[in-house]
C-alpha cells in the first residue's frame, strides 16, 4: 500500500494524543473529572470520559517509533515530541513496584 496511508495513520495517532501525553481507546479526553459524578452506573465506574491508558499509549508509541525508522524525515519533530510526552506519561503512572494499574 502507498506511504500516504501510513502518513494518514501517523496523523491520526498524533491527533489522538491527550494533553497528559498518553493515548485513550478511541478519542481524545475532552471531558472533565466531574462528568463522572453524572455516571448513573455503579458497576461501570470512570466511563464518562476516555482516559489515557498505558496499553494504548505503548501501542501508539510503538507505531510512531516504527514509522520514524521507516520515514525518518516525515513530521520528525512532532513524532519525537509525541514520543517524549508519551514516555513521561507512562513513567508518571508507573507504580513503585514497576507495574501499572489494570
Amino acid at each position: 500500500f502507498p506511504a500516504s496511508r501510513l502518513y494518514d495513520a501517523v496523523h491520526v495517532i498524533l491527533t489522538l494524543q491527550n494533553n497528559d501525553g498518553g493515548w485513550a481507546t478511541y478519542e481524545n479526553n475532552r471531558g472533565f473529572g466531574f462528568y463522572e459524578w453524572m455516571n448513573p452506573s455503579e458497576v461501570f465506574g470512570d466511563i464518562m470520559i476516555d482516559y489515557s491508558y498505558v496499553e494504548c499509549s505503548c501501542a501508539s508509541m510503538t507505531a510512531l517509533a516504527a514509522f520514524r525508522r521507516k520515514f525518518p524525515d516525515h513530521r520528525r519533530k512532532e513524532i519525537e515530541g509525541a514520543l517524549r510526552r508519551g514516555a513521561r506519561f507512562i513513567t508518571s503512572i508507573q507504580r513503585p513496584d514497576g507495574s501499572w494499574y489494570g
Side-chain angles (χ1 to χ4, degrees), residues 86-95 100:
R88 277 195 302 268
F89 167 74
I90 289 172
T91 302
S92 75
I93 64 168
Q94 189 172 22
R95 294 176 170 183
W100 286 271

Side-chain angles (χ1 to χ4, degrees), residues 36 39 41-48 51 53:
E36 298 299 345
N39 183 354
S41 172
E42 292 181 21
V43 177
F44 303 108
D46 296 333
I47 63 167
M48 299 300 287
Y51 297 95
Y53 295 98

Side-chain angles (χ1 to χ4, degrees), residues 13-24:
I13 293 170
L14 291 172
T15 302
L16 290 176
Q17 188 173 29
N18 285 320
N19 290 334
D20 64 6
W23 282 265

Side-chain angles (χ1 to χ4, degrees), residues 46-96:
D46 296 333
I47 63 167
M48 299 300 287
I49 57 178
D50 203 11
Y51 297 95
S52 293
Y53 295 98
V54 69
E55 299 91 341
C56 299
S57 299
C58 286
S60 297
M61 292 173 64
T62 300
L64 289 174
F67 177 86
R68 182 179 60 178
R69 283 191 298 277
K70 181 85 172 159
F71 302 97
D73 297 324
H74 185 78
R75 297 180 77 169
R76 173 182 286 237
K77 289 183 180 180
E78 291 172 84
I79 291 171
E80 288 174 357
L83 291 171
R84 275 193 305 277
R85 290 187 302 276
R88 277 195 302 268
F89 167 74
I90 289 172
T91 302
S92 75
I93 64 168
Q94 189 172 22
R95 294 176 170 183

